[in-house]
Amino acid sequence: PTFLIGLGAYGAAMLDSLTGLPIPVCLLFGVVCAIAGGLLLALPALRLSGPYFGLVTLVAVLLLQNAIVIFAHWTGGEIGMTVPDILSIDSTVNYWYALGFLVICAIILFGLSRSTLGLILQACGQDKIEAAALGFNVTKHKLAAFCVSAGFSGLAGGMVIFYQGTASVDTVIDLSIAV
């Protein structure tokens, strides 16, 4: 998820820095960036399994780091970029933002796990051959699961950027290690 967190974080930070749009719009843009990057990553990666899948995601993180350095005039490079807007300077308000974010994500994921799509995703994860025998398109459902994960990862990356007020490679890497 480091690649997806980074895409969401930098997408939201760059939109805020370049246009000054409100934070929710920037967060939504970060989610869209993460989902688009997740689709580009998932299409070749889902054909792989085991350690090869892990290697593809690791290479994606390295490519993102290089892109951040190459496009330093927009991203701030290795030093990072300051985001003009932050959620709040009050730690209590930031706590409530984080708690609200957690509760909303938990409700969405709980609802997804109890839905028909969630049950199909569970079946595809447990035994893809049996799920395919039942008539489910396993690749399509794995891609959907990857997109859901990418959306939440991008939103988390954007939230951290607007909490800290800065976007840097170290911030993204430290966040993904903590996860």
Side-chain angles (χ1 to χ4, degrees), residues 21-52:
L21 289 172
I23 291 176
V25 174
C26 295
L27 288 173
L28 184 61
F29 182 72
V31 168
V32 170
C33 287
I35 291 174
L39 280 171
L40 289 175
L41 178 65
L43 290 174
L46 287 177
R47 296 171 192 235
L48 305 172
S49 62
Y52 302 109

Side-chain angles (χ1 to χ4, degrees), residues 135-173:
F136 300 119
N137 186 342
V138 175
T139 305
K140 179 180 85 169
H141 287 95
K142 282 187 175 184
L143 191 62
F146 210 88
C147 287
V148 169
S149 172
F152 281 111
S153 297
L155 184 58
M159 291 286 288
V160 166
I161 294 305
F162 287 115
Y163 169 72
Q164 292 184 343
T166 183
S168 68
V169 175
D170 291 337
T171 303
V172 173
I173 298 298

Side-chain angles (χ1 to χ4, degrees), residues 60-140:
V61 173
L62 297 174
L63 289 173
L64 178 63
Q65 287 178 334
N66 286 334
I68 289 169
V69 173
I70 290 170
F71 298 107
H73 57 283
W74 287 317
T75 64
E78 293 176 351
I79 298 170
M81 63 188 295
T82 303
V83 180
D85 297 322
I86 59 170
L87 292 173
S88 176
I89 58 171
D90 184 12
S91 61
T92 305
V93 173
N94 284 328
Y95 167 78
W96 288 109
Y97 277 132
L99 183 63
F101 173 68
L102 174 73
V103 167
I104 290 170
C105 289
I107 290 170
I108 291 170
L109 289 174
F110 181 77
L112 180 65
S113 71
R114 300 293 181 194
S115 70
T116 305
L117 176 62
L119 294 174
I120 294 170
L121 291 175
Q122 289 175 23
C124 292
Q126 291 176 2
D127 190 352
K128 63 182 179 183
I129 295 171
E130 212 171 296
L134 290 172
F136 300 119
N137 186 342
V138 175
T139 305
K140 179 180 85 169

